């Protein structure tokens, strides 16, 4: 699989991953979120805003996958977002604030971050 096909596949796979996460974060009392042990009794602005930002990242991944030439800076930004999500969930798991199912789901963010960073490292800036 050539590098652009790999990054596009990863970007497309990130869309439903983020959509599910956005829904679960926005509606922590939902059956989708229940296995992850998210607190359901939080003031509504917090889960709504968090879900919206995760959904925006999902939209970014879809937009990037559709581009004829994928903007490297946006893939870098995406990698930072994925790494940040993984680090936050991992730190919360280590503190006992989130359960193992959420920590395991967070490894998906790490996987996507590694793919995004690998693509950045192996594809130089395009000139011309």
């Amino acid at each position: 699989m050539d590098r652009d096909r790999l990054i596009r596949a990863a970007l497309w796979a990130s869309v439903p991953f983020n959509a599910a996460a956005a829904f679960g974060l926005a509606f922590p009392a939902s059956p989708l979120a229940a296995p992850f042990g998210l607190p359901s009794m939080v003031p509504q602005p917090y889960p709504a805003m968090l879900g919206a930002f995760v959904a925006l990242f999902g939209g970014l991944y879809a937009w990037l996958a559709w581009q004829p030439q994928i903007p490297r800076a946006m893939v870098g930004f995406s990698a930072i977002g994925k790494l940040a999500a993984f680090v936050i969930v991992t730190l919360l798991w280590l503190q006992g604030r989130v359960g193992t199912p959420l920590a395991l789901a967070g490894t998906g963010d790490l996987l996507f971050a590694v793919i995004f960073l690998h693509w950045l490292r192996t594809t130089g800036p395009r000139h011309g």
Side-chain angles (χ1 to χ4, degrees), residues 91-105:
L91 291 174
L92 290 171
W93 176 71
L94 289 171
Q95 295 172 357
R97 295 181 177 198
V98 300
T100 300
L102 185 59
L104 290 173

Side-chain angles (χ1 to χ4, degrees), residues 54-126:
V54 172
L56 282 172
F57 265 90
L60 169 66
Y61 304 140
W63 179 82
L64 286 171
W66 273 107
Q67 297 307 301
Q69 196 166 31
I70 300 170
R72 293 174 52 78
M74 295 309 295
V75 174
F77 182 75
S78 299
I80 291 167
K82 288 290 188 189
L83 280 173
F86 172 75
V87 168
I88 290 167
V89 168
T90 300
L91 291 174
L92 290 171
W93 176 71
L94 289 171
Q95 295 172 357
R97 295 181 177 198
V98 300
T100 300
L102 185 59
L104 290 173
T107 61
D109 285 313
L110 178 61
L111 174 64
F112 288 124
V114 167
I115 293 169
F116 296 168
L117 291 169
H118 174 73
W119 181 81
L120 287 168
R121 189 177 62 77
T122 59
T123 59
R126 296 180 180 151

Side-chain angles (χ1 to χ4, degrees), residues 25-28 40-53:
L25 291 166
F27 304 102
S40 60
M41 300 303 293
V42 294
Q44 188 54 43
Y46 302 114
M49 291 295 292
L50 185 56
F53 283 118

